[in-house]
Amino acid sequence: MTDVQAISDPFEIQFPRLGWTFHINPTAFTVFGIDIQWYGIIITFGLVLGLIYVMPKMKRFGLDGEKALDAIIGGVLGGIVGARCYYVIFNWDSYKGDLKAILNTRNGGLAIYGGIIGAVAVGLIICRLRKIKFLPMLDITVLGFLIGQGIGRWGNFVNQEAFGTNTGNIFGMTGGEIQDTILRNTTSSDGSMVGLGMNYLQTVHPCFLYESVWCLLGFLIISTYSKRRKYDGQILLMYLAWYGAERFVVEGLRTDSLMTGNIRVSQALSLVICVISVIIQIAMIFITKKNPDRFVLYCNTKESKEFLEQARRRKYGEDDEEEYESITDNDGEEFSSENIKEEI
């Protein structure tokens, strides 16, 4: 383990073996007496970057970007609510005496799996209302989600939260708030870190960094493969396996896991998600080989091309009654509109 000196400044963050020291106030600035936190700014920045990547790729997945944007916005709102509800439910003892605190998310308190559940639930409802194919929508959305997760985890860095047990590896970190959190949770008999053998004068695992790097690496790999996907939903399954495997490992290092008895909720859920996803993908390899014609990507269907043509006509203000060139059928004839062909 790497021993460190006590840090009196709560805003100081150190990576001793790398020789790095940072001084970061979690409050970025104040507007009309309201503190704006770096946590919220970083998460918003991650969401915006994800959206910037996703929107131009919609047509590649056979989707009308204008309609899909409604589902994305609804999914983001549903994700925020779901992430907070999930966190509060598993930390109810901390909130039952102060219900107003449930609405205060500026200092953290969002659970990623709750966010996924909330985003998918609201997104599904909007997709049904807007007649958007759900699997292609999820395929492209999870790529943007990986970007958002990779960037958003740096909010944990600023807040000095979501760290792991003591470690002596080169990336081990410490900080004023980290040391204070360890002291508070190890010096009382009912402290959440009692029994973990934590020492506030030793470095800890930077779990935020592990997850950030893993998500961004996953984005590079899965987005590259997405051009060769075999069936709708494949990118979603790859994301679930990739993220589930990482979260299972990293969650085992963390000191702030949401618990049910002696079970780390997110770790158990990650294992289940990862295993199920891998099993389904293996099964799909054999199924698609046996019946290749059964799985036609939505972007190659007549329905998709018709919707894209309608979207193009709306964009350029063409009269719905105006005659236009016929659209490809499922037998593989090329779509005759050069404009749409280029966009796809």
Side-chain angles (χ1 to χ4, degrees):
M1 299 297 178
T2 302
D3 293 333
V4 296
Q5 298 295 316
I7 301 174
S8 59
D9 183 352
F11 301 148
E12 183 172 315
I13 304 173
Q14 298 179 3
F15 290 81
R17 295 190 64 183
L18 293 172
W20 297 344
T21 298
F22 304 92
H23 187 278
I24 305 175
N25 188 329
T27 300
F29 51 87
T30 301
V31 178
F32 302 119
I34 299 175
D35 292 337
I36 307 301
Q37 305 296 312
W38 278 115
Y39 182 85
I41 293 174
I42 292 171
I43 288 180
T44 301
F45 181 62
L47 289 173
V48 171
L49 283 184
L51 191 62
I52 290 174
Y53 173 81
V54 163
M55 292 308 297
K57 302 292 189 299
M58 285 293 176
K59 291 183 177 65
R60 182 189 295 173
F61 287 77
L63 302 172
D64 176 357
E66 183 178 329
K67 289 184 177 181
L69 183 59
D70 294 341
I72 291 175
I73 293 174
V76 169
L77 297 177
I80 294 173
V81 173
R84 186 58 173 174
C85 289
Y86 188 100
Y87 183 85
V88 170
I89 288 171
F90 287 102
N91 280 284
W92 181 242
D93 288 341
S94 301
Y95 292 95
K96 61 183 180 182
D98 184 11
L99 297 182
K100 290 182 179 180
I102 294 176
L103 302 178
N104 182 16
T105 62
R106 290 181 297 166
N107 293 317
L110 302 176
I112 190 64
Y113 278 125
I116 293 174
I117 293 170
V120 170
V122 175
L124 175 59
I125 293 173
I126 296 177
C127 281
R128 287 187 177 277
L129 293 175
R130 297 286 279 159
K131 297 181 180 179
I132 303 169
K133 287 294 182 181
F134 197 50
L135 284 180
M137 184 67 192
L138 283 176
D139 277 343
I140 180 58
T141 300
V142 295
L143 293 178
F145 201 58
L146 280 169
I147 296 175
Q149 285 178 282
I151 301 298
R153 274 302 173 190
W154 286 84
N156 298 137
F157 165 68
V158 172
N159 283 355
Q160 299 185 50
E161 61 187 4
F163 55 85
T165 53
N166 292 132
T167 180
N169 75 35
I170 191 172
F171 298 108
M173 68 180 294
T174 187
E177 180 61 29
I178 290 174
Q179 292 183 359
D180 183 62
T181 299
I182 294 174
L183 273 173
R184 284 188 283 105
N185 289 282
T186 56
T187 54
S188 62
S189 59
D190 60 347
S192 61
M193 297 182 190
V194 172
L196 295 179
M198 295 291 292
N199 185 339
Y200 80 102
L201 292 179
Q202 292 180 350
T203 54
V204 298
H205 284 286
C207 293
F208 81 92
L209 179 62
Y210 301 157
E211 185 157 326
S212 176
V213 172
W214 188 257
C215 286
L216 295 177
L217 178 61
F219 165 73
L220 292 176
I221 294 173
I222 299 175
S223 63
T224 299
Y225 179 82
S226 68
K227 300 173 184 178
R228 301 190 296 276
R229 65 192 188 283
K230 307 300 181 183
Y231 53 89
D232 292 321
Q234 184 177 17
I235 304 306
L236 169 65
L237 290 171
M238 292 176 69
Y239 163 79
L240 292 175
W242 182 266
Y243 182 68
E246 175 272 327
R247 189 58 185 269
F248 173 75
V249 174
V250 173
E251 191 68 27
L253 300 174
R254 285 177 59 165
T255 59
D256 61 344
S257 297
L258 301 177
M259 306 291 290
T260 295
N262 294 321
I263 299 175
R264 295 173 184 256
V265 177
S266 293
Q267 187 176 39
L269 184 57
S270 296
L271 179 61
V272 171
I273 289 174
C274 180
V275 170
I276 291 177
S277 175
V278 170
I279 291 173
I280 293 175
Q281 289 183 75
I282 292 174
M284 288 300 294
I285 290 175
F286 295 101
I287 294 173
T288 53
K289 284 185 177 180
K290 186 176 181 180
N291 300 294
D293 296 334
R294 178 182 171 186
F295 297 92
V296 178
L297 290 172
Y298 180 67
C299 62
N300 294 330
T301 64
K302 181 178 180 179
E303 177 184 280
S304 170
K305 291 185 168 68
E306 287 177 341
F307 282 146
L308 289 178
E309 171 65 8
Q310 291 171 10
R312 183 190 70 82
R313 292 166 64 80
R314 287 197 306 271
K315 178 179 179 180
Y316 293 105
E318 296 181 11
D319 189 343
D320 288 341
E321 299 299 323
E322 181 182 338
E323 294 184 1
Y324 58 91
E325 297 174 286
S326 63
I327 298 169
T328 186
D329 59 23
N330 290 331
D331 292 330
E333 292 181 351
E334 291 187 357
F335 184 40
S336 54
S337 171
E338 291 298 321
N339 207 329
I340 298 301
K341 196 179 199 179
E342 292 175 1
E343 293 183 4
I344 295 174

